[in-house]
Amino acid sequence: MPKRAVLFTDRQLIHFLKINCLRNCKTYQARKPLWFYNTSLKFFLNKPMLADVVFEIQGTTVPAHRAILVARCEVMAAMFNGNYMEAKSVLIPVYGVSKETFLSFLEYLYTDSCCPAGIFQAMCLLICAEMYQVSRLQHICELFIITQLQSMPSRELASMNLDIVDLLKKAKFHHSDCLSTWLLHFIATNYLIFSQKPEFQDLSVEERSFVEKHRWPSNMYLKQLAEYRKYIHSRKCRCLVM
């Protein structure tokens, strides 16, 4: 027997369409990979479309969206929602960071990812993250710097122009305890390289004491090495067969 047609009232039909539309929407969202949400907001990065705030940096402007900034950064949430000038102003000046660094900072807020071009840029981004109290970004920059330095061969460490002691002092000043502790150990374990550099003299008394105490190679090792080399070149170590 043929199935009986089911008749809907207008109200029932509207309710049916709403339920199915909601189900389809949820199914579509569930099928989207996680990266979709991280990259979709990137289309709004530094774009005037729907922007409701403009940052002024080094004589140029960068458009942004308050809703994204407030959701991702507690400092900006307080800045835009509190009794501050920024809450009522559209044009907001930014000091202490370059445009490139601030754009990298915004990229992290919009996409939850960042890719510094090098150690110097990562340090600048770390300082910006500390300024706006985005601790996760600060830790990402710390890890990037540590990974980059750790992968460098000794020859590159000896010839590079990067001031490690200055990096250490900036890390301490901006409360990057993980990075500053690691850098101090890094200087100590590469003592022969960094002790020859002029900036080594800029270490504080406390830092210098730590480095000397944990240096590698240690004075004892170098003394024993010198004695061993002297021994193998002495007559006592000549081959008896020859």
Side-chain angles (χ1 to χ4, degrees):
M1 292 180 64
K3 290 184 180 179
R4 234 176 122 188
V6 181
L7 299 176
F8 292 100
T9 64
D10 290 344
R11 184 176 295 178
Q12 287 174 329
L13 183 59
I14 292 171
H15 179 70
F16 175 79
L17 290 174
K18 281 184 177 179
I19 293 296
N20 277 275
C21 181
L22 184 61
R23 284 176 182 171
N24 292 336
C25 183
K26 287 182 177 179
T27 304
Y28 176 68
Q29 289 178 345
R31 287 176 183 172
K32 290 180 183 177
L34 184 60
W35 57 261
F36 177 84
Y37 300 100
N38 292 339
T39 58
S40 58
L41 290 178
K42 192 172 184 178
F43 293 114
F44 295 97
L45 178 63
N46 198 20
K47 298 290 195 308
M49 182 173 59
L50 301 178
D52 53 1
V53 63
V54 177
F55 293 101
E56 186 178 23
I57 313 165
Q58 296 180 329
T60 60
T61 55
V62 176
H65 307 78
R66 291 175 191 261
I68 297 173
L69 303 179
V70 168
R72 297 280 290 147
C73 177
E74 292 182 3
V75 169
M76 288 195 175
M79 186 172 72
F80 289 130
N81 292 322
N83 295 321
Y84 300 102
M85 178 187 69
E86 291 83 357
K88 300 177 182 178
S89 178
V90 176
L91 186 64
I92 300 173
V94 176
Y95 306 103
V97 296
S98 67
K99 181 183 177 181
E100 182 184 6
T101 300
F102 194 73
L103 280 173
S104 296
F105 174 70
L106 289 181
E107 182 178 5
Y108 171 78
L109 296 184
Y110 276 68
T111 67
D112 199 42
S113 64
C114 69
C115 187
I119 293 174
F120 178 76
Q121 186 184 5
M123 193 66 211
C124 292
L125 188 55
L126 183 149
I127 293 170
C128 185
E130 191 265 341
M131 184 168 67
Y132 287 99
Q133 297 180 21
V134 183
S135 57
R136 183 172 177 270
L137 177 58
Q138 196 169 353
H139 294 322
I140 290 173
C141 293
E142 285 180 328
L143 182 59
F144 178 88
I145 293 170
I146 290 170
T147 304
Q148 289 291 305
L149 288 173
Q150 216 166 21
S151 63
M152 284 185 183
S154 298
R155 288 183 180 180
E156 191 174 348
L157 283 175
S159 61
M160 71 175 183
N161 294 323
L162 185 67
D163 189 339
I164 294 294
V165 176
D166 182 59
L167 210 62
L168 169 65
K169 293 187 180 300
K170 284 180 179 177
K172 282 190 170 184
F173 184 80
H174 293 284
H175 311 291
S176 293
D177 297 333
C178 176
L179 180 60
S180 61
T181 302
W182 185 88
L183 284 172
L184 207 53
H185 279 278
F186 187 65
I187 293 170
T189 53
N190 292 279
Y191 184 86
L192 293 181
I193 294 174
F194 293 117
S195 62
Q196 303 301 316
K197 291 179 176 287
E199 59 266 21
F200 186 78
Q201 305 303 321
D202 296 332
L203 289 170
S204 66
V205 175
E206 184 183 355
E207 292 165 348
R208 186 75 173 266
S209 176
F210 178 91
V211 169
E212 293 292 346
K213 183 179 179 180
H214 297 88
R215 58 170 283 183
W216 182 258
S218 63
N219 285 323
M220 180 63 69
Y221 172 83
L222 292 176
K223 183 179 178 181
Q224 291 175 348
L225 181 62
E227 290 174 354
Y228 174 74
R229 286 175 175 173
K230 184 178 179 181
Y231 173 75
I232 63 174
H233 287 91
S234 67
R235 294 179 181 179
K236 296 178 183 179
C237 197
R238 286 184 178 177
C239 181
L240 297 176
V241 177
M242 297 299 289

